[in-house]
Structure formats: structure tokens, C-alpha cells
Amino acid sequence: MVTDISTNYTSPAGKDYTIAAGRFAGINPAARVLDMGCGYGESSCNIASEFRARVTSVDISEENIEFAREYAVRKAVSHLITFHIGDIMETNLGGEPFDLILAEGGIFSFIGRRRGLALSRSRLAPRGWLAFSDLIFIADKAPGEVLTIFEDDRFHYETEGSYRQLIKEAGFSLEFTCLVPPSGWDNYYAHMARRLEDQKGFFADRKIKLAFHKEIDVFYRLGGSRYVGYLVCFARAFD
Ligand SMILES: C[S@@+](CC[C@H](N)C(=O)[O-])C[C@H]1O[C@@H](n2cnc3c(N)ncnc32)[C@H](O)[C@@H]1O
């Protein structure tokens, strides 16, 4: 069931997880937060709005950052957020470490999980927190159509067990983990369906429209949540 019809998250884990991450990390107005692959800026705005913390937000898409900047103005938190357009692996994030790094919506699968975890580890303050969400496989075998819509041949998804191992090897202790409930997927696809009405920008492209229509069709027709899950992890850097 759709529980958040106006969300701008482009992933199944939404606002509740971002706020929970801020609470675990004890974020306050003196804290520094990094949002890796911030998309439309929903997480950055939620953290800034709830905790009044300073947020650095990076995304490779100029269009997304443009949207996020305007959204932050509408949410009255633009003075708390510094936006950067660029590849997170190459963006100059300044010298100061972060108290919380958000990596929501599968950015680790895009940039490489070991690389993403290592970058996060290197940019965190001692005992700092990492909150990420990413797609995993939860069944031994998934139908070909499910593998195809999530591009498993390109991203080679982890299972919960293999992700736990990567987190440990990267120097983190796992403090909390869960799978996003069905409402998270419904919120995500409701947002995607809304964006498919776009007449300009990324979602206006016919190929993108077709790809998302197909993903939504396959996910609900074949019961995608029997095969894939959206893993949420809050992890803490070892000393
Ligand atoms: C699925 S979206 C998730 C956005 C947001 N975190 C959320 O959960 O709604 C992934 C985002 O990562 C961005 N991205 C992908 N590769 C990136 C990279 N190398 N550096 C920075 N951003 C990247 C994309 O442009 C996109 O906005």
C-alpha cells in the first residue's frame, strides 16, 4: 500500500529510514552529514529539516541537483545544504570528516560496493555512522525477467550474508539492518509512475519510460519481492 504519495525518494527506503539513521548517529546542529548520490535531495532536506545539521550533498546528475537545490529552497533548508554536481569518487569533499554518511538508493551498486564502503570509511569521523540501502537477492533463483529488469548481469547483486561480510571487511560494525516492507516498494513505484508523466528531463525519454513501465509490470506481475529485497544497514566505523 502507498503510504507516502508525495515522496521524492527514487528508492524503496524512504524518510523513516533517513530520520532513524540521524537518531542512531545522534545528529545535532553541530554535526556534518554527507549524502552520497542524493538524487532529488529528499534525504538531505529531511536530515537538515529534522536535525538542523549541515549537509554536503553530491550527485552526478546535473538535473537531479538542480531539482534538489530548488526543493531545499522550498523546504527552507537551503542554507544548511551544500550541493555538488559530480562523481562521488572524484568530488572534493573538503578535509573535515563526517559524522554520518547517507548512501541511500543503491549508490554502492553503481560505484562498486567495496569502493563505496572504503570511501565512506575514509571520510567518517572516528566511530562515525554509515547508513545505506541497496538491492539484494533474497532467493537462490529468480525468474529471468526479474534478473533482467534489475540488470543483475551488470550489478551482480549481493545477498544479505555477502553484504554483511563486505561491511565487516571494510571496517564497520553492523548496528541495525532490515528489509524495506512492501509499502516502501509501493511508495517508490508510485513516485516512478508519477515521474513517467514528465514531459522534460530524464523521465521524458521514451526508452526510460518503457524501461520503468516494464520494471513495474514485472515486479508486480511476478511478485518481485519474493526474489529481491531492499536492504537497509546502519553501520559504525571501528576505531
Ligand atoms: C537510485 S538514485 C537514489 C537517490 C537518493 N539517494 C534516494 O534514495 O532517493 C541513485 C542516485 O545516485 C546518483 N549517482 C550514480 N552514480 C553516481 C556517482 N558516481 N556519483 C554521484 N552520484 C551518482 C544518480 O544520479 C542517482 O541520483
Side-chain angles (χ1 to χ4, degrees):
M1 163 182 187
V2 176
T3 55
D4 186 356
I5 191 66
S6 59
T7 182
N8 285 308
Y9 281 90
T10 51
S11 62
K15 179 176 179 179
D16 292 347
Y17 298 96
T18 308
I19 299 300
R23 297 241 183 284
F24 266 74
I27 295 305
N28 59 46
R32 293 185 78 239
V33 179
L34 172 65
D35 188 358
M36 295 171 55
C38 67
Y40 294 128
E42 188 78 85
S43 290
S44 303
C45 290
N46 284 332
I47 283 282
S49 190
E50 182 76 13
F51 301 101
R52 316 311 297 174
R54 286 165 299 154
V55 185
T56 300
S57 307
V58 183
D59 201 283
I60 204 163
S61 157
E62 193 174 342
E63 182 186 329
N64 290 359
I65 290 290
E66 204 176 297
F67 183 105
R69 277 192 216 278
E70 285 172 21
Y71 193 57
V73 171
R74 272 192 276 144
K75 293 280 179 181
V77 289
S78 57
H79 59 297
L80 293 171
I81 307 175
T82 306
F83 289 103
H84 297 275
I85 301 166
D87 186 330
I88 188 66
M89 299 306 299
E90 287 160 19
T91 302
N92 180 356
L93 299 167
E96 271 187 78
F98 296 94
D99 303 292
L100 169 65
I101 294 180
L102 300 171
E104 298 173 322
I107 178 104
F108 286 164
S109 283
F110 295 133
I111 63 178
R113 294 166 201 112
R114 283 183 200 279
R115 284 174 86 213
L117 286 164
L119 174 68
S120 307
R121 183 69 185 78
S122 71
R123 298 316 314 245
L124 276 175
R127 308 290 290 136
W129 288 79
L130 166 67
F132 75 87
S133 58
D134 204 349
L135 194 110
I136 57 166
F137 271 95
I138 57 174
D140 288 342
K141 277 196 176 158
E145 276 186 280
V146 172
L147 297 174
T148 304
I149 57 164
F150 291 111
E151 298 182 75
D152 184 52
D153 55 347
R154 178 174 165 210
F155 294 115
H156 308 292
Y157 291 106
E158 304 292 335
T159 61
E160 181 185 337
S162 62
Y163 228 139
R164 279 176 181 265
Q165 189 59 31
L166 289 181
I167 293 163
K168 199 170 148 196
E169 285 168 14
F172 291 98
S173 61
L174 190 53
E175 304 292 332
F176 171 83
T177 185
C178 70
L179 287 180
V180 171
S183 58
W185 289 96
D186 296 340
N187 290 336
Y188 166 56
Y189 285 130
H191 178 208
M192 291 301 99
R194 221 169 0 105
R195 300 310 305 252
L196 293 179
E197 303 295 318
D198 285 3
Q199 299 298 320
K200 59 180 175 117
F202 180 77
F203 287 97
D205 186 304
R206 191 169 167 276
K207 280 199 205 116
I208 299 296
K209 284 187 196 295
L210 284 173
F212 272 99
H213 273 297
K214 174 134 200 180
E215 180 177 328
I216 294 169
D217 167 58
V218 169
F219 186 84
Y220 286 104
R221 182 164 46 81
L222 296 185
S225 51
R226 284 185 292 162
Y227 309 106
V228 295
Y230 223 76
L231 185 72
V232 173
C233 292
F234 300 165
R236 202 165 186 195
F238 290 142
D239 275 341

